[in-house]
mmCIF file of all heavy atoms in Angstrom:
data_model
loop_
_atom_site.group_PDB
_atom_site.id
_atom_site.type_symbol
_atom_site.label_atom_id
_atom_site.label_comp_id
_atom_site.label_asym_id
_atom_site.label_seq_id
_atom_site.Cartn_x
_atom_site.Cartn_y
_atom_site.Cartn_z
ATOM 1 N N ARG A 1 74.615 -47.925 -13.868
ATOM 2 C CA ARG A 1 74.307 -46.781 -13.061
ATOM 3 C C ARG A 1 74.468 -47.015 -11.479
ATOM 4 O O ARG A 1 74.377 -46.045 -10.776
ATOM 5 C CB ARG A 1 72.929 -46.190 -13.421
ATOM 6 C CG ARG A 1 72.853 -45.418 -14.721
ATOM 7 C CD ARG A 1 71.672 -44.553 -14.793
ATOM 8 N NE ARG A 1 70.430 -45.355 -14.993
ATOM 9 C CZ ARG A 1 69.870 -45.647 -16.137
ATOM 10 N NH1 ARG A 1 70.465 -45.217 -17.303
ATOM 11 N NH2 ARG A 1 68.737 -46.323 -16.227
ATOM 12 N N LEU A 2 74.708 -48.273 -11.219
ATOM 13 C CA LEU A 2 74.923 -48.584 -9.769
ATOM 14 C C LEU A 2 76.255 -47.980 -9.244
ATOM 15 O O LEU A 2 77.143 -47.810 -10.035
ATOM 16 C CB LEU A 2 74.827 -50.077 -9.590
ATOM 17 C CG LEU A 2 73.557 -50.792 -9.878
ATOM 18 C CD1 LEU A 2 73.781 -52.265 -9.654
ATOM 19 C CD2 LEU A 2 72.446 -50.322 -9.080
ATOM 20 N N ASP A 3 76.270 -47.662 -8.045
ATOM 21 C CA ASP A 3 77.491 -47.120 -7.428
ATOM 22 C C ASP A 3 78.632 -48.016 -7.557
ATOM 23 O O ASP A 3 78.602 -49.213 -7.290
ATOM 24 C CB ASP A 3 77.209 -46.848 -5.922
ATOM 25 C CG ASP A 3 78.483 -46.254 -5.233
ATOM 26 O OD1 ASP A 3 78.725 -45.065 -5.432
ATOM 27 O OD2 ASP A 3 79.117 -47.025 -4.479
ATOM 28 N N ASP A 4 79.746 -47.511 -8.125
ATOM 29 C CA ASP A 4 80.913 -48.295 -8.418
ATOM 30 C C ASP A 4 81.424 -49.038 -7.134
ATOM 31 O O ASP A 4 81.791 -50.205 -7.254
ATOM 32 C CB ASP A 4 82.067 -47.410 -8.979
ATOM 33 C CG ASP A 4 81.782 -46.964 -10.274
ATOM 34 O OD1 ASP A 4 80.867 -47.534 -11.032
ATOM 35 O OD2 ASP A 4 82.510 -46.008 -10.840
ATOM 36 N N ALA A 5 81.542 -48.346 -6.018
ATOM 37 C CA ALA A 5 82.035 -48.975 -4.811
ATOM 38 C C ALA A 5 81.143 -50.075 -4.318
ATOM 39 O O ALA A 5 81.628 -51.190 -3.911
ATOM 40 C CB ALA A 5 82.117 -47.919 -3.696
ATOM 41 N N ARG A 6 79.883 -49.958 -4.581
ATOM 42 C CA ARG A 6 78.864 -50.973 -4.154
ATOM 43 C C ARG A 6 79.059 -52.209 -5.024
ATOM 44 O O ARG A 6 79.030 -53.335 -4.611
ATOM 45 C CB ARG A 6 77.396 -50.482 -4.188
ATOM 46 C CG ARG A 6 76.339 -51.459 -3.771
ATOM 47 C CD ARG A 6 76.540 -51.977 -2.389
ATOM 48 N NE ARG A 6 75.466 -52.838 -1.933
ATOM 49 C CZ ARG A 6 75.581 -53.713 -0.918
ATOM 50 N NH1 ARG A 6 76.733 -53.806 -0.231
ATOM 51 N NH2 ARG A 6 74.519 -54.493 -0.569
ATOM 52 N N VAL A 7 79.189 -51.989 -6.283
ATOM 53 C CA VAL A 7 79.389 -53.081 -7.298
ATOM 54 C C VAL A 7 80.613 -53.811 -7.026
ATOM 55 O O VAL A 7 80.656 -55.041 -7.032
ATOM 56 C CB VAL A 7 79.369 -52.510 -8.702
ATOM 57 C CG1 VAL A 7 79.764 -53.654 -9.651
ATOM 58 C CG2 VAL A 7 78.033 -52.032 -9.099
ATOM 59 N N ASP A 8 81.735 -53.136 -6.683
ATOM 60 C CA ASP A 8 83.015 -53.701 -6.385
ATOM 61 C C ASP A 8 82.921 -54.673 -5.241
ATOM 62 O O ASP A 8 83.436 -55.781 -5.157
ATOM 63 C CB ASP A 8 84.064 -52.665 -6.154
ATOM 64 C CG ASP A 8 84.462 -51.957 -7.372
ATOM 65 O OD1 ASP A 8 84.268 -52.444 -8.546
ATOM 66 O OD2 ASP A 8 85.115 -50.867 -7.261
ATOM 67 N N ALA A 9 82.117 -54.144 -4.181
ATOM 68 C CA ALA A 9 81.941 -54.976 -2.962
ATOM 69 C C ALA A 9 81.063 -56.249 -3.316
ATOM 70 O O ALA A 9 81.360 -57.293 -2.798
ATOM 71 C CB ALA A 9 81.259 -54.180 -1.872
ATOM 72 N N LEU A 10 80.114 -56.047 -4.164
ATOM 73 C CA LEU A 10 79.177 -57.199 -4.324
ATOM 74 C C LEU A 10 79.876 -58.231 -5.244
ATOM 75 O O LEU A 10 79.694 -59.496 -5.100
ATOM 76 C CB LEU A 10 77.889 -56.713 -5.112
ATOM 77 C CG LEU A 10 76.924 -55.860 -4.168
ATOM 78 C CD1 LEU A 10 75.753 -55.388 -5.039
ATOM 79 C CD2 LEU A 10 76.418 -56.715 -3.044
ATOM 80 N N VAL A 11 80.625 -57.863 -6.276
ATOM 81 C CA VAL A 11 81.204 -58.843 -7.169
ATOM 82 C C VAL A 11 82.347 -59.635 -6.532
ATOM 83 O O VAL A 11 82.768 -60.688 -7.077
ATOM 84 C CB VAL A 11 81.727 -58.209 -8.431
ATOM 85 C CG1 VAL A 11 80.574 -57.602 -9.253
ATOM 86 C CG2 VAL A 11 82.878 -57.194 -8.221
ATOM 87 N N ALA A 12 82.718 -59.203 -5.359
ATOM 88 C CA ALA A 12 83.749 -59.974 -4.573
ATOM 89 C C ALA A 12 83.205 -61.083 -3.833
ATOM 90 O O ALA A 12 83.826 -61.919 -3.251
ATOM 91 C CB ALA A 12 84.503 -58.983 -3.638
ATOM 92 N N GLN A 13 81.802 -61.172 -3.777
ATOM 93 C CA GLN A 13 81.144 -62.134 -3.033
ATOM 94 C C GLN A 13 80.503 -63.249 -3.934
ATOM 95 O O GLN A 13 80.077 -62.974 -5.024
ATOM 96 C CB GLN A 13 79.985 -61.528 -2.232
ATOM 97 C CG GLN A 13 80.380 -60.406 -1.279
ATOM 98 C CD GLN A 13 79.137 -59.728 -0.681
ATOM 99 O OE1 GLN A 13 78.109 -60.380 -0.328
ATOM 100 N NE2 GLN A 13 79.302 -58.356 -0.509
ATOM 101 N N ALA A 14 80.577 -64.426 -3.493
ATOM 102 C CA ALA A 14 79.882 -65.554 -4.178
ATOM 103 C C ALA A 14 78.393 -65.479 -3.893
ATOM 104 O O ALA A 14 77.959 -64.934 -2.812
ATOM 105 C CB ALA A 14 80.452 -66.873 -3.662
ATOM 106 N N PRO A 15 77.544 -65.856 -4.881
ATOM 107 C CA PRO A 15 77.910 -66.488 -6.128
ATOM 108 C C PRO A 15 78.028 -65.432 -7.223
ATOM 109 O O PRO A 15 78.382 -65.771 -8.390
ATOM 110 C CB PRO A 15 76.726 -67.358 -6.402
ATOM 111 C CG PRO A 15 75.538 -66.589 -5.836
ATOM 112 C CD PRO A 15 76.055 -65.976 -4.607
ATOM 113 N N LEU A 16 77.846 -64.119 -6.954
ATOM 114 C CA LEU A 16 77.962 -63.123 -8.007
ATOM 115 C C LEU A 16 79.348 -62.981 -8.647
ATOM 116 O O LEU A 16 79.517 -62.626 -9.713
ATOM 117 C CB LEU A 16 77.564 -61.717 -7.400
ATOM 118 C CG LEU A 16 77.437 -60.602 -8.412
ATOM 119 C CD1 LEU A 16 76.333 -60.933 -9.454
ATOM 120 C CD2 LEU A 16 77.056 -59.246 -7.689
ATOM 121 N N SER A 17 80.340 -63.457 -7.849
ATOM 122 C CA SER A 17 81.695 -63.361 -8.311
ATOM 123 C C SER A 17 81.955 -64.112 -9.588
ATOM 124 O O SER A 17 82.919 -63.801 -10.391
ATOM 125 C CB SER A 17 82.677 -63.863 -7.168
ATOM 126 O OG SER A 17 82.246 -65.211 -6.848
ATOM 127 N N ARG A 18 81.124 -64.994 -9.825
ATOM 128 C CA ARG A 18 81.210 -65.808 -11.165
ATOM 129 C C ARG A 18 81.075 -64.827 -12.346
ATOM 130 O O ARG A 18 81.765 -64.973 -13.318
ATOM 131 C CB ARG A 18 80.074 -66.947 -11.305
ATOM 132 C CG ARG A 18 79.936 -67.384 -12.676
ATOM 133 C CD ARG A 18 78.981 -68.557 -12.850
ATOM 134 N NE ARG A 18 78.600 -68.635 -14.291
ATOM 135 C CZ ARG A 18 79.356 -69.063 -15.294
ATOM 136 N NH1 ARG A 18 80.628 -69.311 -15.087
ATOM 137 N NH2 ARG A 18 78.859 -69.150 -16.488
ATOM 138 N N TYR A 19 80.215 -63.854 -12.129
ATOM 139 C CA TYR A 19 79.988 -62.872 -13.241
ATOM 140 C C TYR A 19 80.802 -61.654 -13.115
ATOM 141 O O TYR A 19 80.663 -60.611 -13.927
ATOM 142 C CB TYR A 19 78.520 -62.509 -13.311
ATOM 143 C CG TYR A 19 77.628 -63.620 -13.728
ATOM 144 C CD1 TYR A 19 76.917 -64.366 -12.793
ATOM 145 C CD2 TYR A 19 77.492 -63.984 -15.103
ATOM 146 C CE1 TYR A 19 76.093 -65.503 -13.236
ATOM 147 C CE2 TYR A 19 76.745 -65.092 -15.484
ATOM 148 C CZ TYR A 19 75.993 -65.756 -14.548
ATOM 149 O OH TYR A 19 75.181 -66.859 -14.978
ATOM 150 N N ARG A 20 81.831 -61.692 -12.308
ATOM 151 C CA ARG A 20 82.710 -60.444 -12.137
ATOM 152 C C ARG A 20 83.335 -60.045 -13.516
ATOM 153 O O ARG A 20 83.254 -58.901 -13.798
ATOM 154 C CB ARG A 20 83.775 -60.758 -11.101
ATOM 155 C CG ARG A 20 84.665 -59.549 -10.928
ATOM 156 C CD ARG A 20 85.636 -59.774 -9.712
ATOM 157 N NE ARG A 20 86.351 -58.514 -9.330
ATOM 158 C CZ ARG A 20 86.797 -58.353 -8.150
ATOM 159 N NH1 ARG A 20 86.756 -59.265 -7.230
ATOM 160 N NH2 ARG A 20 87.458 -57.219 -7.883
ATOM 161 N N PRO A 21 83.917 -60.941 -14.290
ATOM 162 C CA PRO A 21 84.487 -60.487 -15.564
ATOM 163 C C PRO A 21 83.512 -59.823 -16.458
ATOM 164 O O PRO A 21 83.771 -58.802 -17.103
ATOM 165 C CB PRO A 21 85.015 -61.786 -16.210
ATOM 166 C CG PRO A 21 85.160 -62.687 -15.015
ATOM 167 C CD PRO A 21 84.094 -62.424 -14.080
ATOM 168 N N TRP A 22 82.295 -60.342 -16.562
ATOM 169 C CA TRP A 22 81.235 -59.804 -17.445
ATOM 170 C C TRP A 22 80.904 -58.388 -16.928
ATOM 171 O O TRP A 22 80.680 -57.437 -17.702
ATOM 172 C CB TRP A 22 80.004 -60.686 -17.508
ATOM 173 C CG TRP A 22 78.931 -60.152 -18.352
ATOM 174 C CD1 TRP A 22 78.895 -60.042 -19.721
ATOM 175 C CD2 TRP A 22 77.681 -59.544 -17.842
ATOM 176 N NE1 TRP A 22 77.669 -59.470 -20.107
ATOM 177 C CE2 TRP A 22 76.971 -59.149 -19.032
ATOM 178 C CE3 TRP A 22 77.077 -59.337 -16.623
ATOM 179 C CZ2 TRP A 22 75.652 -58.592 -18.929
ATOM 180 C CZ3 TRP A 22 75.883 -58.795 -16.532
ATOM 181 C CH2 TRP A 22 75.122 -58.342 -17.692
ATOM 182 N N ILE A 23 80.664 -58.267 -15.626
ATOM 183 C CA ILE A 23 80.235 -56.930 -15.038
ATOM 184 C C ILE A 23 81.353 -55.938 -15.231
ATOM 185 O O ILE A 23 81.076 -54.758 -15.597
ATOM 186 C CB ILE A 23 79.887 -57.110 -13.562
ATOM 187 C CG1 ILE A 23 78.582 -57.941 -13.429
ATOM 188 C CG2 ILE A 23 79.666 -55.799 -12.927
ATOM 189 C CD1 ILE A 23 78.218 -58.363 -11.989
ATOM 190 N N GLU A 24 82.623 -56.299 -14.976
ATOM 191 C CA GLU A 24 83.723 -55.365 -15.169
ATOM 192 C C GLU A 24 83.839 -54.992 -16.676
ATOM 193 O O GLU A 24 84.222 -53.815 -16.974
ATOM 194 C CB GLU A 24 85.023 -55.997 -14.645
ATOM 195 C CG GLU A 24 84.963 -56.083 -13.098
ATOM 196 C CD GLU A 24 86.285 -56.734 -12.604
ATOM 197 O OE1 GLU A 24 87.083 -57.385 -13.449
ATOM 198 O OE2 GLU A 24 86.571 -56.725 -11.381
ATOM 199 N N ASP A 25 83.575 -55.926 -17.561
ATOM 200 C CA ASP A 25 83.710 -55.654 -18.980
ATOM 201 C C ASP A 25 82.603 -54.717 -19.343
ATOM 202 O O ASP A 25 82.806 -53.749 -20.109
ATOM 203 C CB ASP A 25 83.485 -57.022 -19.734
ATOM 204 C CG ASP A 25 84.313 -57.117 -20.940
ATOM 205 O OD1 ASP A 25 85.382 -56.400 -20.998
ATOM 206 O OD2 ASP A 25 84.045 -57.821 -21.818
ATOM 207 N N LEU A 26 81.389 -54.967 -18.751
ATOM 208 C CA LEU A 26 80.233 -54.099 -19.134
ATOM 209 C C LEU A 26 80.547 -52.645 -18.699
ATOM 210 O O LEU A 26 80.132 -51.711 -19.483
ATOM 211 C CB LEU A 26 79.026 -54.598 -18.382
ATOM 212 C CG LEU A 26 77.675 -54.106 -18.720
ATOM 213 C CD1 LEU A 26 77.276 -54.479 -20.144
ATOM 214 C CD2 LEU A 26 76.642 -54.657 -17.716
ATOM 215 N N ARG A 27 81.173 -52.486 -17.667
ATOM 216 C CA ARG A 27 81.361 -51.143 -17.007
ATOM 217 C C ARG A 27 82.341 -50.298 -17.874
ATOM 218 O O ARG A 27 82.334 -49.054 -17.791
ATOM 219 C CB ARG A 27 81.820 -51.241 -15.603
ATOM 220 C CG ARG A 27 80.718 -51.759 -14.693
ATOM 221 C CD ARG A 27 81.139 -51.878 -13.283
ATOM 222 N NE ARG A 27 80.971 -50.703 -12.501
ATOM 223 C CZ ARG A 27 79.810 -50.062 -12.131
ATOM 224 N NH1 ARG A 27 78.693 -50.742 -12.382
ATOM 225 N NH2 ARG A 27 79.750 -48.998 -11.442
ATOM 226 N N LYS A 28 83.099 -50.947 -18.765
ATOM 227 C CA LYS A 28 83.973 -50.244 -19.711
ATOM 228 C C LYS A 28 83.091 -49.451 -20.747
ATOM 229 O O LYS A 28 83.580 -48.506 -21.340
ATOM 230 C CB LYS A 28 84.973 -51.150 -20.347
ATOM 231 C CG LYS A 28 85.959 -51.746 -19.413
ATOM 232 C CD LYS A 28 86.829 -52.823 -20.090
ATOM 233 C CE LYS A 28 87.757 -53.481 -19.075
ATOM 234 N NZ LYS A 28 88.551 -54.612 -19.703
ATOM 235 N N ASP A 29 81.920 -49.907 -20.928
ATOM 236 C CA ASP A 29 81.008 -49.203 -21.864
ATOM 237 C C ASP A 29 80.353 -48.066 -21.245
ATOM 238 O O ASP A 29 79.712 -47.221 -21.995
ATOM 239 C CB ASP A 29 79.921 -50.193 -22.323
ATOM 240 C CG ASP A 29 80.468 -51.383 -23.146
ATOM 241 O OD1 ASP A 29 81.463 -51.173 -23.864
ATOM 242 O OD2 ASP A 29 79.970 -52.505 -23.074
ATOM 243 N N LYS A 30 80.411 -47.959 -19.975
ATOM 244 C CA LYS A 30 79.642 -46.871 -19.219
ATOM 245 C C LYS A 30 79.811 -45.434 -19.760
ATOM 246 O O LYS A 30 78.790 -44.721 -19.923
ATOM 247 C CB LYS A 30 80.005 -46.896 -17.761
ATOM 248 C CG LYS A 30 79.221 -46.004 -16.834
ATOM 249 C CD LYS A 30 79.573 -46.361 -15.385
ATOM 250 C CE LYS A 30 78.778 -45.416 -14.425
ATOM 251 N NZ LYS A 30 79.038 -45.774 -13.025
ATOM 252 N N PRO A 31 81.058 -44.956 -20.067
ATOM 253 C CA PRO A 31 81.089 -43.654 -20.527
ATOM 254 C C PRO A 31 80.470 -43.339 -21.958
ATOM 255 O O PRO A 31 80.319 -42.186 -22.269
ATOM 256 C CB PRO A 31 82.716 -43.452 -20.688
ATOM 257 C CG PRO A 31 83.342 -44.508 -19.818
ATOM 258 C CD PRO A 31 82.330 -45.682 -19.998
ATOM 259 N N PHE A 32 80.088 -44.427 -22.583
ATOM 260 C CA PHE A 32 79.513 -44.245 -23.942
ATOM 261 C C PHE A 32 78.070 -44.615 -24.031
ATOM 262 O O PHE A 32 77.541 -44.647 -25.122
ATOM 263 C CB PHE A 32 80.364 -45.100 -24.924
ATOM 264 C CG PHE A 32 81.858 -44.852 -24.886
ATOM 265 C CD1 PHE A 32 82.740 -45.774 -24.145
ATOM 266 C CD2 PHE A 32 82.485 -43.735 -25.368
ATOM 267 C CE1 PHE A 32 84.050 -45.532 -23.957
ATOM 268 C CE2 PHE A 32 83.832 -43.493 -25.236
ATOM 269 C CZ PHE A 32 84.584 -44.377 -24.532
ATOM 270 N N GLN A 33 77.500 -44.832 -22.916
ATOM 271 C CA GLN A 33 76.029 -45.147 -22.899
ATOM 272 C C GLN A 33 75.220 -43.877 -22.981
ATOM 273 O O GLN A 33 75.686 -42.797 -22.590
ATOM 274 C CB GLN A 33 75.656 -45.777 -21.513
ATOM 275 C CG GLN A 33 76.156 -47.233 -21.451
ATOM 276 C CD GLN A 33 75.714 -47.766 -20.086
ATOM 277 O OE1 GLN A 33 76.085 -49.004 -19.839
ATOM 278 N NE2 GLN A 33 75.034 -47.132 -19.284
ATOM 279 N N LEU A 34 74.009 -44.032 -23.571
ATOM 280 C CA LEU A 34 73.061 -42.874 -23.705
ATOM 281 C C LEU A 34 71.902 -43.115 -22.801
ATOM 282 O O LEU A 34 71.773 -44.196 -22.142
ATOM 283 C CB LEU A 34 72.700 -42.772 -25.218
ATOM 284 C CG LEU A 34 73.798 -42.604 -26.219
ATOM 285 C CD1 LEU A 34 73.306 -42.697 -27.579
ATOM 286 C CD2 LEU A 34 74.543 -41.299 -25.958
ATOM 287 N N GLU A 35 71.009 -42.222 -22.863
ATOM 288 C CA GLU A 35 69.775 -42.405 -22.040
ATOM 289 C C GLU A 35 68.978 -43.511 -22.548
ATOM 290 O O GLU A 35 69.088 -43.914 -23.744
ATOM 291 C CB GLU A 35 68.916 -41.093 -22.156
ATOM 292 C CG GLU A 35 69.549 -39.777 -21.661
ATOM 293 C CD GLU A 35 68.793 -38.556 -22.051
ATOM 294 O OE1 GLU A 35 67.574 -38.698 -22.267
ATOM 295 O OE2 GLU A 35 69.434 -37.474 -22.199
ATOM 296 N N ASP A 36 68.155 -44.120 -21.652
ATOM 297 C CA ASP A 36 67.479 -45.356 -21.959
ATOM 298 C C ASP A 36 66.695 -45.239 -23.268
ATOM 299 O O ASP A 36 66.673 -46.159 -24.149
ATOM 300 C CB ASP A 36 66.554 -45.835 -20.847
ATOM 301 C CG ASP A 36 67.337 -46.268 -19.611
ATOM 302 O OD1 ASP A 36 68.561 -45.946 -19.531
ATOM 303 O OD2 ASP A 36 66.767 -46.984 -18.793
ATOM 304 N N ARG A 37 65.922 -44.218 -23.392
ATOM 305 C CA ARG A 37 64.984 -44.045 -24.597
ATOM 306 C C ARG A 37 65.766 -43.903 -25.842
ATOM 307 O O ARG A 37 65.419 -44.455 -26.882
ATOM 308 C CB ARG A 37 64.085 -42.836 -24.415
ATOM 309 C CG ARG A 37 63.051 -42.988 -23.246
ATOM 310 C CD ARG A 37 61.997 -44.017 -23.546
ATOM 311 N NE ARG A 37 61.056 -43.551 -24.640
ATOM 312 C CZ ARG A 37 60.118 -44.411 -25.168
ATOM 313 N NH1 ARG A 37 60.153 -45.690 -24.891
ATOM 314 N NH2 ARG A 37 59.342 -43.902 -26.093
ATOM 315 N N ILE A 38 66.894 -43.239 -25.740
ATOM 316 C CA ILE A 38 67.717 -43.079 -27.022
ATOM 317 C C ILE A 38 68.368 -44.462 -27.354
ATOM 318 O O ILE A 38 68.449 -44.895 -28.548
ATOM 319 C CB ILE A 38 68.844 -42.038 -26.807
ATOM 320 C CG1 ILE A 38 68.217 -40.679 -26.581
ATOM 321 C CG2 ILE A 38 69.809 -41.971 -27.980
ATOM 322 C CD1 ILE A 38 69.197 -39.582 -26.224
ATOM 323 N N GLU A 39 68.800 -45.232 -26.290
ATOM 324 C CA GLU A 39 69.348 -46.569 -26.601
ATOM 325 C C GLU A 39 68.267 -47.444 -27.266
ATOM 326 O O GLU A 39 68.553 -48.180 -28.191
ATOM 327 C CB GLU A 39 69.806 -47.163 -25.343
ATOM 328 C CG GLU A 39 71.067 -46.552 -24.747
ATOM 329 C CD GLU A 39 72.417 -46.942 -25.521
ATOM 330 O OE1 GLU A 39 72.254 -47.664 -26.513
ATOM 331 O OE2 GLU A 39 73.442 -46.478 -25.136
ATOM 332 N N GLU A 40 67.072 -47.387 -26.800
ATOM 333 C CA GLU A 40 65.916 -48.117 -27.299
ATOM 334 C C GLU A 40 65.702 -47.707 -28.829
ATOM 335 O O GLU A 40 65.497 -48.585 -29.701
ATOM 336 C CB GLU A 40 64.697 -47.875 -26.533
ATOM 337 C CG GLU A 40 64.711 -48.631 -25.170
ATOM 338 C CD GLU A 40 63.420 -48.338 -24.404
ATOM 339 O OE1 GLU A 40 62.427 -47.984 -24.951
ATOM 340 O OE2 GLU A 40 63.506 -48.533 -23.107
ATOM 341 N N LEU A 41 65.787 -46.404 -29.063
ATOM 342 C CA LEU A 41 65.541 -45.954 -30.487
ATOM 343 C C LEU A 41 66.715 -46.444 -31.399
ATOM 344 O O LEU A 41 66.441 -46.894 -32.505
ATOM 345 C CB LEU A 41 65.532 -44.436 -30.476
ATOM 346 C CG LEU A 41 65.417 -43.749 -31.842
ATOM 347 C CD1 LEU A 41 64.021 -44.130 -32.463
ATOM 348 C CD2 LEU A 41 65.484 -42.185 -31.799
ATOM 349 N N PHE A 42 67.961 -46.296 -30.969
ATOM 350 C CA PHE A 42 69.026 -46.899 -31.694
ATOM 351 C C PHE A 42 68.845 -48.323 -31.965
ATOM 352 O O PHE A 42 69.083 -48.861 -33.104
ATOM 353 C CB PHE A 42 70.342 -46.649 -30.957
ATOM 354 C CG PHE A 42 71.083 -45.345 -31.270
ATOM 355 C CD1 PHE A 42 70.357 -44.144 -31.284
ATOM 356 C CD2 PHE A 42 72.437 -45.277 -31.445
ATOM 357 C CE1 PHE A 42 70.935 -42.961 -31.517
ATOM 358 C CE2 PHE A 42 73.115 -44.091 -31.703
ATOM 359 C CZ PHE A 42 72.309 -42.938 -31.768
#
């Protein structure tokens, strides 16, 4: 839910850049996420 532009800027910086592939991968799931409580129920 973080702003895409802000995330792009942060993952370009060390040491967070190590996790850039994981964060970018995670964001592909974004369109299919549900509300927190529904995700917890599932």
Side-chain angles (χ1 to χ4, degrees):
R1 283 198 288 266
L2 297 178
D3 178 72
D4 287 346
R6 180 58 175 162
V7 171
D8 290 341
L10 290 175
V11 296
Q13 304 173 38
L16 186 61
S17 54
R18 162 173 164 69
Y19 290 101
R20 181 173 191 157
W22 178 72
I23 293 171
E24 290 180 345
D25 218 24
L26 190 69
R27 294 180 83 76
K28 293 173 183 175
D29 295 325
K30 188 175 180 177
F32 308 101
Q33 286 180 184
L34 303 173
E35 300 168 26
D36 289 20
R37 293 290 288 170
I38 298 176
E39 289 286 2
E40 288 179 21
L41 178 63
F42 270 43

